[in-house]
């Protein structure tokens, strides 16, 4: 009889790995963080506060988790994260950049401060963490997986979201640029592009009956996504299953972009 469990652990297991995650307290990041923990990784969550809710949830599942407090909107706090994690005795193998914010205004009225805030959290912070984790892995001549969270707005401009669309377009290009340099040195860099997902970031769209109906009419799957839909994609890109995959933007959108 085939050793199914052993095979799955070898290909998709994360036993002995440490994953650094932003955005683990809610939505897509929460779903993927739980998947990492279930697959055997020690999950280190970068959070704005030391709220142990998700840590306790992971530990209740039999997993391991640690909270590191940092504000993703503060460049200096972000720069201090990886040195702090290394000082704690961890070797980082996986990075998931999932933390993000949204601001909506007509383009002609979009405030400077909202532009700066969105670009900082959604693009600059992922770059800083990619740079630090990449160097950490390269310095030890190790192997690692970096996963950025992109968007349909990596490919499309959207409406009233110029900063968000610009940040997610940048995530797509950052992913490719880092992959070009690092895949030959053992670091796979990929992105996940979610479609329309029922999370608090999309509350405004869900509450708008016209836009909600228009969106649903275009999704071939005929439903909005849920955080659970991203567990498999995240685990694939973090595990041995994706060892020859790099520079890719994996759409998880219910068929939206194929329409």
């Amino acid at each position: 009889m085939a050793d199914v469990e052993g095979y799955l652990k070898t290909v998709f297991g994360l036993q002995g790995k440490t994953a650094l995650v932003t955005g683990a307290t809610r939505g897509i990041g929460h779903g993927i963080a739980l998947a990492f923990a279930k697959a055997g990784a020690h999950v280190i969550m970068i959070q704005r506060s030391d709220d142990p809710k998700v840590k306790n949830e992971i530990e209740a599942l039999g997993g391991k988790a640690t909270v590191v407090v940092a504000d993703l909107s503060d460049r200096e706090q972000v720069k201090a994260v990886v040195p702090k994690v290394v000082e704690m005795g961890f070797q980082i193998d996986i990075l998931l950049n999932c933390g993000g914010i949204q601001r909506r205004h007509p383009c002609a009225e979009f405030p400077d401060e909202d532009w700066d805030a969105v670009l900082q959290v959604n693009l600059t912070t992922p770059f800083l963490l990619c740079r630090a984790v990449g160097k950490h892995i390269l310095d030890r001549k190790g192997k690692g997986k970096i996963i950025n969270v992109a968007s349909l707005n990596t490919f499309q401009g959207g409406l009233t979201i110029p900063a968000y669309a610009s940040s997610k377009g940048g995530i797509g290009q950052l992913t490719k640029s880092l992959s070009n340099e690092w895949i030959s040195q053992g670091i796979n860099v990929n992105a996940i592009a979610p479609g329309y997902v029922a999370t608090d970031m999309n509350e405004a769209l869900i509450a708008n009956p016209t836009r909600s109906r228009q969106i649903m009419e275009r999704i071939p799957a005929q439903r909005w996504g849920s955080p659970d839909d991203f567990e498999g994609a995240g685990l694939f890109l973090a595990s041995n299953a994706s060892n020859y995959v790099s520079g890719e933007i994996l759409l998880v959108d219910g068929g939206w972009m194929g329409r």
Side-chain angles (χ1 to χ4, degrees):
M1 180 178 291
D3 181 7
V4 176
E5 184 176 349
Y7 172 74
L8 292 176
K9 282 185 177 181
T10 299
V11 178
F12 292 102
L14 301 180
Q15 295 86 355
K17 304 293 185 181
T18 297
L20 184 64
V21 178
T22 69
T25 59
R26 61 182 186 174
I28 294 169
H30 179 249
I32 297 177
L34 291 181
F36 286 173
K38 291 173 186 176
H42 187 135
V43 180
I44 301 178
M45 299 168 292
I46 306 173
Q47 298 181 183
R48 188 179 299 176
S49 75
D50 59 1
D51 184 343
K53 180 180 178 181
V54 180
K55 179 178 184 293
N56 292 343
E57 185 179 1
I58 288 173
E59 290 176 346
L61 295 170
K64 298 178 181 178
T66 300
V67 173
V68 172
V69 177
D71 186 341
L72 299 184
S73 68
D74 187 311
R75 186 175 297 202
E76 296 309 312
Q77 288 189 37
V78 172
K79 286 182 178 180
V81 166
V82 172
K84 184 186 298 185
V85 170
V86 172
E87 187 176 315
M88 292 166 68
F90 292 106
Q91 175 178 289
I92 303 167
D93 305 290
I94 301 159
L95 170 65
L96 172 67
N97 279 309
C98 194
I101 61 174
Q102 177 65 286
R103 298 288 185 271
R104 296 180 183 275
H105 306 279
C107 292
E109 301 167 12
F110 206 92
D112 289 358
E113 58 269 24
D114 281 357
W115 173 272
D116 291 341
V118 171
L119 268 292
Q120 172 62 48
V121 173
N122 291 9
L123 183 57
T124 301
T125 287
F127 164 68
L128 295 175
L129 290 173
C130 284
R131 183 177 66 183
V133 171
K135 186 176 188 306
H136 166 70
I137 296 171
L138 293 171
D139 284 349
R140 71 171 195 263
K141 294 181 169 52
K143 294 184 181 300
K145 300 293 179 75
I146 293 177
I147 307 164
N148 296 315
V149 174
S151 167
L152 291 182
N153 296 116
T154 301
F155 311 98
Q156 302 175 332
L159 296 168
T160 70
I161 54 167
Y164 186 82
S166 297
S167 71
K168 293 303 183 178
I171 284 292
Q173 294 306 101
L174 174 64
T175 297
K176 294 174 185 178
S177 180
L178 297 178
S179 172
N180 288 342
E181 288 195 31
W182 289 349
I183 180 58
S184 65
Q185 300 177 74
I187 303 175
N188 299 65
V189 188
N190 293 288
I192 295 171
Y196 286 92
V197 185
T199 64
D200 54 2
M201 186 175 286
N202 286 320
E203 283 177 350
L205 292 177
I206 295 169
N208 183 321
T210 300
R211 282 293 290 134
S212 184
R213 176 183 55 78
Q214 291 170 341
I215 288 167
M216 183 67 77
E217 286 174 349
R218 176 168 168 170
I219 302 173
Q222 286 295 290
R223 67 174 178 86
W224 285 59
S226 71
D228 293 348
D229 291 318
F230 295 84
E231 292 187 19
L235 194 55
F236 167 66
L237 292 178
S239 67
N240 288 331
S242 61
N243 282 346
Y244 200 58
V245 178
S246 197
E248 292 297 323
I249 303 172
L250 175 60
L251 284 155
V252 183
D253 64 352
W256 174 280
M257 285 295 288
R259 187 68 177 259

